[in-house]
Amino acid sequence: MIDTTHDIFLKGALTIEQPSKGYRAGTDAVLLAAAAASFPVTRALEAGCGVGTALLSLASLRADSTQEFTGLEKDEAAWSLAIANAARNHVLGDVKFVLGDVLAPDEGLTSQYDLVFSNPPYFDDDQAIRDPDASRQAAYILGAPLDAWIKGMLAMAKPKGRFLMIHRADRLPDILAALRGKAGDIGVCPVRPRAGDPAKRVLVSARKGSRAPLRLLAGIDMHPRVGEGRFSADYQAICDGGVLPV
């Protein structure tokens, strides 16, 4: 049995149980959910949902809608926690979690979703991180090239369906290369630690099968200038349940 903590998201709207060691959901999940909530879609799937933080955040942000929310996760321990988190937050009837692999999605999931979104592992080289904690290794190491993960996500999206991913800013060229010829109307939203800093993350949205041009968005600063508070006004608004258009 693993040690867990219970953490608060969306100004107390959600309580998420997650492992106390290894990979832990945080700001990336919050940003991903806020961006996903900007799309008026009916069926949404999170690829590699972990303990369900981003998906349940999206369900909470869209509690007044008729959306169907699905989480896909291959790790049984994380999958079990995701189901428990859905029940804990009283959304079990609106959200379902499927045990499976993004890299080889079941035929029943292909071409089914208006939106497929993800915060995938940030490394696809098993030598990129050396950590004694096995769960941290599994969460950070993709186990396949990033373009294979993107291919799996696009396979589950409907024609003209939306794609959304948060990832390291230095992988933006690889993300764009994987989307080339498969999706358009690409929006790139830089995520900067502070105003004037280089972006450390990017939110990338796209529409499957579209030929519309790329859009470079203004982006968001996570923190104000030193000494001016913990979070920027824009990010604090997201933490409180706001939406991030992408």
Side-chain angles (χ1 to χ4, degrees):
M1 187 172 182
I2 60 173
D3 291 330
T4 61
T5 62
H6 291 77
D7 302 295
I8 301 300
F9 290 84
L10 295 180
K11 208 175 181 178
L14 284 180
T15 301
I16 298 295
E17 183 180 8
Q18 59 180 332
S20 59
K21 295 181 179 179
Y23 176 79
R24 290 171 52 78
T27 56
D28 288 351
V30 172
L31 288 167
L32 184 64
S38 70
F39 297 117
V41 299
T42 302
R43 303 188 74 200
L45 178 140
E46 184 183 4
C49 65
V51 300
T53 308
L55 188 70
L56 294 173
S57 295
L58 174 59
S60 178
L61 292 170
R62 286 286 176 252
D64 59 347
S65 74
T66 57
Q67 281 185 264
E68 176 185 321
F69 306 98
T70 300
L72 179 64
E73 176 55 50
K74 72 175 184 178
D75 181 83
E76 289 194 36
W79 172 73
S80 295
L81 281 175
I83 294 172
N85 282 327
R88 176 178 295 106
N89 290 283
H90 310 293
V91 293
L92 192 59
D94 304 315
V95 179
K96 67 177 180 180
F97 293 96
V98 178
L99 196 60
D101 192 346
V102 180
L103 300 176
D106 185 271
E107 287 186 6
L109 300 176
T110 58
S111 299
Q112 294 296 311
Y113 297 94
D114 306 303
L115 169 66
V116 180
F117 64 105
S118 185
N119 174 18
Y122 280 165
F123 301 95
D124 48 16
D125 174 5
D126 61 8
Q127 300 301 311
I129 180 172
R130 291 180 173 83
D131 193 300
D133 188 280
S135 66
R136 189 175 176 89
Q137 281 274 1
Y140 274 86
I141 302 299
L142 186 58
L146 178 60
D147 60 358
W149 188 279
I150 293 172
K151 180 180 179 181
M153 289 178 64
L154 290 174
M156 292 183 284
K158 291 179 178 179
K160 304 300 181 181
R162 297 282 187 177
F163 164 98
L164 176 65
M165 173 178 285
I166 188 167
H167 212 288
R168 292 165 24 214
D170 64 310
R171 296 305 302 271
L172 178 59
D174 301 309
I175 297 170
L176 296 179
L179 293 173
R180 186 176 297 119
K182 303 179 182 69
D185 190 22
I186 297 170
V188 178
C189 178
V191 180
R192 296 172 293 268
R194 285 185 170 82
D197 288 351
K200 293 292 184 69
R201 299 281 188 267
V202 285
L203 280 154
V204 180
S205 63
R207 188 184 284 271
K208 182 178 177 179
S210 173
R211 295 180 179 272
L214 181 145
R215 298 167 290 114
L216 182 59
L217 307 176
I220 184 171
D221 304 317
M222 300 292 292
H223 305 280
R225 297 184 185 279
V226 176
E228 295 182 359
R230 183 181 180 190
F231 295 130
S232 69
D234 288 342
Y235 181 64
Q236 186 62 58
I238 288 172
C239 291
D240 292 345
V243 172
L244 177 59
V246 292

